[in-house]
Amino acid sequence: AWGRGGGGVGVVGAGAGGGVVAVGGVAVVGAAVAVARAIYMPRPEQMLAIRNRIAEGWEEWAALVGDKRRQRVAGEVKGESLTRTPKGFAKEHPAEFWLRKKQWLYWDTDLDPALARGPGFVKEIARRFEAMYPVIRFLNGALGGRKAPRSEYF
C-alpha cells in the first residue's frame, strides 16, 4: 500500500497475519531530503522473530550489515536499542549488539536537496533502495513477508 504524509511518500508491506513488514519512503521537506527503509515499530512477537533470525543467521547478517559498498551508498543500519541483552539470548552471542535493537532502519539525510529538483532524483533514490534491499529482505524473512524478487522493486 502507498501512503503519503508530511511531504513524503512511503510504501508499507504486510507480512503473515497482517503485521507490518518493511516500510520505505522519501521525504522532501524544505531544504532537506530523507530516505528511509526500516522495520520501525515491530510488535513484540515480530521483534522476537527478527532477533531469532539474526541470532540464527548471524554470519549472513554480519556480511549484509558490514558490506562497505552498501554502507557507502545507504549508510549504516541504525535504531534504538535496549540497554541489556533481551531475555533468552546469550550476552556472549556475536550478534548481541543487533539483538538489543528495537528497530532496524536506514535513515539517510545526506542527499543534496537540489537533487530533488533534478532529473537524477528517482535514479538516486532507487540506487539507495537497491543497496538497502538485501538487509530489508533478510529482516522481512523473519516476518513471513513474501520474498519478492529484486525485479519487483527495481
Side-chain angles (χ1 to χ4, degrees), residues 39-116:
I39 305 288
Y40 183 66
M41 294 178 62
R43 295 188 312 256
E45 67 275 11
Q46 293 172 319
M47 206 173 317
L48 178 60
I50 291 168
R51 288 177 176 145
N52 282 328
R53 173 109 163 99
I54 291 171
E56 293 165 9
W58 160 240
E59 290 176 351
E60 179 184 0
W61 176 254
L64 289 169
V65 297
D67 182 275
K68 297 298 181 195
R69 181 188 164 278
R70 179 171 296 109
Q71 289 176 353
R72 279 192 304 278
V73 174
E76 294 184 7
V77 176
K78 301 172 182 154
E80 292 182 12
S81 297
L82 299 169
T83 55
R84 296 189 181 118
T85 307
K87 187 177 180 179
F89 295 95
K91 290 180 191 176
E92 302 80 26
H93 194 288
E96 191 269 342
F97 172 82
W98 297 105
L99 299 175
R100 287 188 291 116
K101 291 285 184 197
K102 298 189 289 185
Q103 47 193 217
W104 299 263
L105 58 101
Y106 283 105
W107 178 252
D108 184 1
T109 57
D110 292 335
L111 280 122
D112 178 0
L115 183 66

Side-chain angles (χ1 to χ4, degrees), residues 10-13 20-25 36-41 104-106 129 132 136 140:
V11 182
V12 178
V20 170
V21 190
V23 295
R37 196 92 195 252
I39 305 288
Y40 183 66
M41 294 178 62
W104 299 263
L105 58 101
Y106 283 105
F129 276 2
M132 299 170 187
I136 299 302
N140 279 347

